[in-house]
């Protein structure tokens, strides 16, 4: 997922505590030839997808700039880019925070996703090659391994599957739209997910592959719609849920933030 789910984006892991989250992401080893701003951007996106950065968490510009050895103005440009993508927000006299989507916004995002994925799977039915289908089945085995072992990258791997479908649809505009939408889905899941286990819909992915392979556009669209609905239904999209101080057990007070 460039999309936020590609294989080069696997480095933002294990934030030790909430107050040090952005610093921990920044201190990961730098590899590759990406420009500094893109590198910071990719790692923040990865941390959000992997849920090591959660909605409402503070992003310390000073620490990020120091850790990457760049001027604070460069970090600010990265954060402004994420703000424009509805991933973070700037709060007056407080700084940058991971956005906490409202209930109405969450419902709008899922409505958009249902329509977008329906178009994507229809195009995939018409354009996917046998090599593409084989790639999807290979990815399906990765999904099973990751979910069976409850590995930390579950969210990333599930998202990768949908991005593969978008790429097979062969429309760069739709791929870009889904990339941005999936990041917002990650925020929504992170904020509103229920605490009764991890949702695993690998079997629905498998059914979707079979329908695409059979060029059954109507069937694939119906499964994609049901799949999105199942994900939305797994969430507690309520004002009560959003209003909780910290749904993961740590009380965060304004004075706790730099």
């Amino acid at each position: 997922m460039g999309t936020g789910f590609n294989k080069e984006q696997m480095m933002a892991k294990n934030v030790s505590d909430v107050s040090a989250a952005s610093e921990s992401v920044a201190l990961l080893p730098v590899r590759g030839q990406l420009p500094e701003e893109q590198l910071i951007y990719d790692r923040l996106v990865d941390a959000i997808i992997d849920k090591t950065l959660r909605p409402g968490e503070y992003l310390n510009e000073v620490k990020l700039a120091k850790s990457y050895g760049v001027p604070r103005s460069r970090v600010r440009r990265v954060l402004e880019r994420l703000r424009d993508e509805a991933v973070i927000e700037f709060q007056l006299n407080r700084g940058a925070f991971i956005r906490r989507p409202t209930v109405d916004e969450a419902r709008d995002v899922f409505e958009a996703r249902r329509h977008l994925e329906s178009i994507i799977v229809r195009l995939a039915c018409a354009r996917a090659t046998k090599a593409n289908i084989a790639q999807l089945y290979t990815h399906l085995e990765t999904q099973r391994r990751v979910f069976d072992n409850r590995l930390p990258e579950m969210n990333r791997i599930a998202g990768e599957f949908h991005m593969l479908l978008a790429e097979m649809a062969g429309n760069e505009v739709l791929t870009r739209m889904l990339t941005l939408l999936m990041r917002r889905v990650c925020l929504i899941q992170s904020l509103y997910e229920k605490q009764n286990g991890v949702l695993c819909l690998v079997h629905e992915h498998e059914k979707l592959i079979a329908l695409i392979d059979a060029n059954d556009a109507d069937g694939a669209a119906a499964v994609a719609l049901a799949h999105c609905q199942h994900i939305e239904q797994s969430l507690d999209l309520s004002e009560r849920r959003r209003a909780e101080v910290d749904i993961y057990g740590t009380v965060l007070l304004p004075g706790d933030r730099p």
Side-chain angles (χ1 to χ4, degrees), residues 151-213:
L151 299 180
E153 59 265 33
M154 287 186 294
N155 207 46
R156 175 191 304 280
I157 295 300
E160 279 182 357
F161 175 80
H162 292 275
M163 296 314 306
L164 283 174
L165 292 179
E167 291 167 5
M168 290 171 191
N171 186 306
E172 291 185 4
V173 175
L174 291 176
T175 300
R176 177 61 177 167
M177 291 172 65
L178 186 62
T179 296
L180 299 179
L181 201 61
M182 291 295 284
R183 293 174 190 171
R184 297 177 73 174
V185 169
C186 287
L187 291 179
I188 293 164
Q189 289 178 300
S190 187
L191 181 59
Y192 293 103
E193 63 188 358
K194 298 175 183 177
Q195 295 178 323
N196 58 355
V198 178
L199 181 68
C200 179
L201 297 175
V202 176
H203 64 287
E204 293 184 0
H205 287 178
E206 183 173 20
K207 183 183 295 186
L208 195 53
I209 297 171
L211 291 166
I212 293 172
D213 189 22

Side-chain angles (χ1 to χ4, degrees), residues 73-144:
S73 59
R74 287 196 174 188
V75 173
R76 175 53 68 101
R77 282 197 292 269
V78 172
L79 298 181
E80 288 173 345
R81 178 180 172 186
L82 289 168
R83 175 203 59 196
D84 293 344
E85 295 175 357
V87 173
I88 74 164
E89 63 182 4
F90 291 103
Q91 298 182 12
L92 184 62
N93 298 324
R94 297 191 68 200
F97 292 80
I98 306 297
R99 287 193 69 244
R100 301 176 68 251
T102 65
V103 172
D104 287 342
E105 179 184 349
R107 297 193 187 283
D108 287 347
V109 166
F110 272 99
E111 181 178 51
R113 181 181 176 182
R114 289 194 296 272
H115 289 288
L116 188 60
E117 295 235 35
S118 177
I119 295 170
I120 285 171
V121 297
R122 287 181 179 278
L123 288 174
C125 283
R127 298 174 179 175
T129 65
K130 289 298 181 182
N132 292 150
I133 298 300
Q135 184 182 13
L136 290 174
Y137 276 117
T138 298
H139 193 274
L140 189 70
E141 292 307 309
T142 300
Q143 292 178 55
R144 287 198 178 100

Side-chain angles (χ1 to χ4, degrees), residues 10-14 25 28 42-44 46-47 50 52 156:
M10 298 295 289
M11 296 181 283
K13 299 290 185 181
N14 301 323
V25 172
L28 290 169
D42 289 342
R43 289 184 175 176
L44 289 175
D46 284 349
D50 291 337
T52 54
R156 175 191 304 280

